[in-house]
Amino acid sequence: MGRDFVYVILGGGVAAGYAALEFTKKGVSNGELCIISDELVAPYERPALSKGFLLPQAPARLPGFHTCVGANEERLCWNDGPGLLFSIKYTSGIELILGTRVISADTRRKRLLTATGETISYKFLIIATGARVLKLEEIGINGSNAENVCYLRDLADATKLVNIMRMYTGGHAIVIGGGYIGMECAASLVMNKINVTMVFPGSYCSKHF
Ligand SMILES: Cc1cc2nc3c(=O)[nH]c(=O)nc-3n(C[C@H](O)[C@H](O)[C@H](O)COP(=O)(O)OP(=O)(O)OC[C@H]3O[C@@H](n4cnc5c(N)ncnc54)[C@H](O)[C@@H]3O)c2cc1C
């Protein structure tokens, strides 16, 4: 036995939040649409994680940057009261299934299997699983999960980075990657009074722009 929806959005990131906005504009009935995300919070504007979230003063915090503030739309409101975290009514009848990883999809039977063994059926599936961070091992370096190695992809990563910055004021950080996220991160570290060395393969930052 499992749950059954007309529309399922797999992934709870930026695309999911904006897709949900479009559904709310057209109107969805209770139980028609669900978002499944392995993150613990409703869709948020991920770009804020390397910008306002890392500021030493007046940092951005949820719920202030849930989608869809990036398009000057109102935030899709949600209720994060105790006990409601893993399956909540998001807004306008959208079910939000959080902290739930989908491990396989049976597209013939139109159903998804979650890591907890639940099946979720759909008539239409929207896949919005986004990207993931490249771990150190994948670039030939050991120590992915060593203490004080930070990544910057989701809220948990950004929260860890903020805590570490607070602990090491005046310290030294190495930023691997000279794209825009590496540069934004380096700028935030400096604003948090951390000395930074950037390491990247090209002769200058953001070579691709
Ligand atoms: C720090 C940072 C700063 C950025 N700044 C900018 C910027 O300034 N401008 C810009 O244009 N772009 C920026 N980006 C890129 C932008 O955030 C992405 O392009 C955008 O998030 C992509 O949206 P998405 O919904 O496709 O994927 P994501 O936002 O990555 O969302 C994917 C979601 O799917 C979930 N998921 C994945 N697999 C599963 C599964 N099997 N089961 C359940 N859930 C799953 C993930 O946990 C996540 O919630 C930035 C990205 C980062 C990380």
Side-chain angles (χ1 to χ4, degrees):
M1 283 292 286
R3 283 180 271 186
D4 198 0
F5 297 91
V6 180
Y7 306 100
V8 169
I9 302 176
L10 171 54
V14 178
Y18 281 82
L21 175 69
E22 295 307 314
F23 275 102
T24 61
K25 284 178 184 167
K26 290 188 190 312
V28 276
S29 325
N30 267 343
E32 215 175 11
L33 169 65
C34 90
I35 297 175
I36 309 171
S37 175
D38 58 2
E39 292 194 68
L40 294 174
V41 294
Y44 54 89
E45 306 284 352
R46 200 170 300 281
L49 297 182
S50 56
K51 302 173 183 65
F53 196 88
L54 300 182
L55 293 178
Q57 256 125 45
R61 288 291 178 268
L62 290 175
F65 60 96
H66 279 301
T67 56
C68 296
V69 291
N72 296 324
E73 295 281 355
E74 278 187 28
R75 270 187 288 126
L76 293 171
C77 59
W78 66 300
N79 179 351
D80 64 349
L84 294 174
L85 192 59
F86 292 98
S87 182
I88 61 178
K89 294 285 177 220
Y90 185 29
T91 179
S92 311
I94 301 173
E95 186 97 3
L96 189 51
I97 302 174
L98 296 174
T100 301
R101 184 155 191 82
V102 167
I103 54 168
S104 69
D106 181 341
T107 51
R108 199 170 55 80
R109 292 197 173 89
K110 297 193 172 181
R111 62 189 189 201
L112 305 171
L113 178 65
T114 72
T116 54
E118 188 186 0
T119 55
I120 297 172
S121 303
Y122 59 84
K123 197 163 175 208
F124 300 98
L125 176 65
I126 298 167
I127 301 174
T129 43
R132 65 174 179 81
V133 78
L134 204 56
K135 296 272 174 140
L136 278 183
E137 270 77 10
E138 296 172 82
I139 53 172
I141 306 168
N142 290 330
S144 270
N145 298 316
E147 201 187 343
N148 290 4
V149 171
C150 300
Y151 297 90
L152 190 52
R153 180 73 209 168
D154 60 23
L155 187 66
D157 295 338
T159 304
K160 177 179 173 183
L161 182 56
V162 165
N163 291 338
I164 287 184
M165 286 193 302
R166 284 185 185 149
M167 275 191 292
Y168 292 99
T169 305
H172 186 200
I174 296 173
V175 174
I176 303 178
Y180 71 85
I181 296 176
M183 288 195 295
E184 287 177 344
C185 200
S188 297
L189 284 158
V190 170
M191 278 190 261
N192 281 276
K193 299 191 176 14
I194 310 258
N195 302 301
V196 177
T197 302
M198 292 185 74
V199 183
F200 48 86
S203 44
Y204 49 91
C205 288
S206 259
K207 206 173 164 179
H208 301 293
F209 289 95

